[in-house]
Amino acid sequence: MQTIDNYNFSGKKAIVRVDFNVPLDENGKITDDTRIRGALPTLKKILNDGGSLIIMSHMGKPKGKVNPKFSLAQIKDDVAKALGTDVKFADDCGNAADVAANLKPGEVLLLENLRFYPEEEGKPVGIDKEDPAYDAAKKEMKDRQKNFAKTLAGYADVYVNDAFGTAHRKHASTAVIADYFDADSKMLGYLMEKEVKAVDNILSDIKRPFTAIMGGSKVSTKIGIIENLMDKVDNLILCGGMTYTFAKAQGGNIGTSICEDDKLQLALDIMKMAKDKGVNLVLATDCVAGDAFSNDANTQVCSVMDIPEGWEGMDAGPETRKRFAEVIRPSKTILWNGPAGVFEFDNFTAGSRAIAEAIVEATNNGAFSLVGGGDSVACVNKFGMADQVSYVSTGGGALLEAIEGKVLPGVAAIKG
């Protein structure tokens, strides 16, 4: 497989898939430029070699239609500032052959949002899956997707995928485009290389004890990874909103706490699976409950099995925080995905902060710690601890699918 370090981009046009799906405020200003900064080593390597650079990305979910709210024109100046050079803009990513052909070495072109074309995602638009004509529409869209990918590929001599956040999607720009480049002319960018290596560290070079911390509101969205991790981890901490599904499944009173009533048996099955496999499953025992879903709610600490009517669990309680930390500190491999409470509210951050602090302590003692998934990353950024863990992943869904053991189309398209 070709590597970016071994490739000389001098005199070449490189088209790079990045993930510049950055958060914007109501005025279209970037509120967190982590993803742009993450792509800089790859983009600068191409320019420093004397290549010309074509940057492509999606933003938001415009569903195959042009929507100014999701235009990458809004971030052009930020990208130029980050790169330290002017950036040209193509306001139609599918019709940029002329401007791409005229790019000189050292010049940069940013393409408009790929998802303004339905062909990028390759899903038929305006037709239900139940419609008898859906299969024919899907096949027709897949053909159009190939043509769209071929158009993008035609702009450049070499393809670089540096968008780990979308590597689990078989989109035109993340996987299909690779078919139009030979093995020596397609490669992973630096960010992708680091992400793939971090996942390999977690899965193939496990130092024990291995502790995984899964948070978030729903058991159902994490079941695949929970089942996969059961064969790998020594300790599995389940926290956040799913706490209350487990509590109710065991006969607890959970007040108005979030709960998946149709997943109570699944929660009991997970507990049995952990027991059968000898995994130490750690669940919350107490919580900080609020009488409203608000930062200013009245609070009380109570057992997760006995939350009063009209109150909802919103963070891990002091006993639980201590228990989590005691499991995390001696660990040598740690994966964290999902907060322990409603960390967006400052008064309900203590559980997530306790996890972050214990992970930092373990990391200082030689553990490999990987934090991934939007909310966990937001947590370590909020607490100023992102530089104190081993690795912060830019991809939520992609990271989880990789750890589930699934093949990521964006990686497979390069590796063959």
Side-chain angles (χ1 to χ4, degrees), residues 48-124:
N48 291 342
D49 274 5
S52 42
L53 179 59
I54 301 161
I55 302 171
M56 57 179 175
S57 178
H58 75 285
M59 182 181 279
K61 295 179 178 175
K63 300 193 170 144
K65 294 187 173 71
V66 174
N67 184 338
K69 187 174 133 191
F70 299 119
S71 174
L72 290 175
Q74 299 171 96
I75 68 166
K76 179 178 89 78
D77 292 345
D78 297 273
V79 175
K81 190 176 173 189
L83 282 172
T85 185
D86 284 345
V87 172
K88 300 173 191 290
F89 185 71
D91 58 13
D92 180 351
C93 64
N95 192 17
D98 289 347
V99 62
N102 290 320
L103 274 188
K104 297 181 179 61
E107 290 188 335
V108 183
L109 172 66
L110 174 64
L111 302 181
E112 180 57 286
N113 194 339
L114 294 159
R115 288 189 186 170
F116 284 178
Y117 277 80
E119 290 84 354
E120 163 64 2
E121 295 183 86
K123 292 178 192 158

Side-chain angles (χ1 to χ4, degrees), residues 248-409:
K248 188 168 181 179
Q250 296 172 82
N253 298 311
I254 60 167
T256 56
S257 304
I258 188 168
C259 178
E260 289 182 284
D261 286 322
D262 60 336
K263 295 291 183 283
L264 300 181
Q265 186 56 50
L266 176 62
L268 295 174
D269 292 345
I270 288 170
M271 294 176 76
K272 183 178 184 303
M273 191 192 305
K275 192 175 178 188
D276 291 347
K277 290 180 181 283
V279 172
N280 177 31
L281 179 65
V282 187
L283 298 167
T285 52
D286 64 341
C287 69
V288 179
D291 62 354
F293 190 76
S294 153
N295 187 48
D296 305 322
N298 295 308
T299 62
Q300 62 169 302
V301 173
C302 51
S303 162
V304 297
M305 301 295 284
D306 194 15
I307 301 171
E309 270 311 307
W311 293 71
E312 63 179 307
M314 290 171 67
D315 195 12
E319 186 186 295
T320 297
R321 301 197 288 264
K322 193 172 158 218
R323 203 156 159 241
F324 286 176
E326 282 169 357
V327 171
I328 295 166
R329 279 194 207 103
S331 302
K332 290 300 171 199
T333 304
I334 303 166
L335 168 68
W336 183 22
N337 175 270
V342 190
F343 79 99
E344 300 92 332
F345 295 155
D346 288 346
N347 291 333
F348 298 95
T349 58
S352 301
R353 186 182 287 277
I355 289 172
E357 286 172 348
I359 292 174
V360 167
E361 196 175 322
T363 308
N364 289 337
N365 290 330
F368 178 84
S369 53
L370 193 162
V371 178
D375 286 342
S376 311
V377 174
C379 275
V380 290
N381 284 334
K382 181 169 185 164
F383 305 147
M385 298 180 192
D387 58 346
Q388 297 172 67
V389 299
S390 305
Y391 194 73
V392 177
S393 174
T394 57
L399 174 73
L400 293 185
E401 290 201 9
I403 288 167
E404 271 184 61
K406 292 181 180 173
V407 174
L408 302 182

Side-chain angles (χ1 to χ4, degrees), residues 137-156:
K138 187 178 176 184
K139 184 183 180 305
E140 191 251 349
M141 178 53 83
K142 288 296 175 193
D143 291 339
R144 280 166 52 190
Q145 185 184 46
K146 285 178 187 169
N147 289 331
F148 180 61
K150 189 176 181 181
T151 297
L152 296 172
Y155 300 159

Side-chain angles (χ1 to χ4, degrees), residues 88-286:
K88 300 173 191 290
F89 185 71
D91 58 13
D92 180 351
C93 64
N95 192 17
D98 289 347
V99 62
N102 290 320
L103 274 188
K104 297 181 179 61
E107 290 188 335
V108 183
L109 172 66
L110 174 64
L111 302 181
E112 180 57 286
N113 194 339
L114 294 159
R115 288 189 186 170
F116 284 178
Y117 277 80
E119 290 84 354
E120 163 64 2
E121 295 183 86
K123 292 178 192 158
V125 177
I127 184 167
D128 289 329
K129 284 187 178 173
E130 288 73 39
D131 192 310
Y134 182 81
D135 285 346
K138 187 178 176 184
K139 184 183 180 305
E140 191 251 349
M141 178 53 83
K142 288 296 175 193
D143 291 339
R144 280 166 52 190
Q145 185 184 46
K146 285 178 187 169
N147 289 331
F148 180 61
K150 189 176 181 181
T151 297
L152 296 172
Y155 300 159
D157 308 302
V158 55
Y159 168 65
V160 183
N161 190 348
D162 211 26
F164 184 72
T166 57
H168 58 313
R169 306 279 187 222
K170 192 170 183 180
H171 290 171
S173 67
T174 60
V176 185
I177 187 174
D179 293 343
Y180 300 98
F181 293 90
D182 63 40
D184 287 332
S185 304
K186 57 185 172 188
M187 66 208 74
L188 303 177
Y190 287 122
L191 187 63
M192 279 279 272
E193 282 186 347
K194 272 165 52 181
E195 294 274 7
V196 171
K197 187 163 176 258
V199 171
D200 283 349
N201 268 343
I202 284 281
L203 294 186
S204 61
D205 187 23
I206 298 171
K207 307 278 191 296
R208 300 199 176 273
F210 177 11
T211 298
I213 306 132
M214 291 283 128
S217 57
K218 295 181 175 178
V219 189
S220 54
T221 58
K222 298 281 168 82
I223 184 59
I225 188 166
I226 288 170
E227 288 177 342
N228 187 263
L229 286 169
M230 285 284 188
D231 292 322
K232 299 181 173 71
V233 299
D234 303 291
N235 307 298
L236 179 59
I237 294 173
L238 297 181
C239 57
M242 66 175 100
T243 296
Y244 310 103
T245 300
F246 280 88
K248 188 168 181 179
Q250 296 172 82
N253 298 311
I254 60 167
T256 56
S257 304
I258 188 168
C259 178
E260 289 182 284
D261 286 322
D262 60 336
K263 295 291 183 283
L264 300 181
Q265 186 56 50
L266 176 62
L268 295 174
D269 292 345
I270 288 170
M271 294 176 76
K272 183 178 184 303
M273 191 192 305
K275 192 175 178 188
D276 291 347
K277 290 180 181 283
V279 172
N280 177 31
L281 179 65
V282 187
L283 298 167
T285 52
D286 64 341

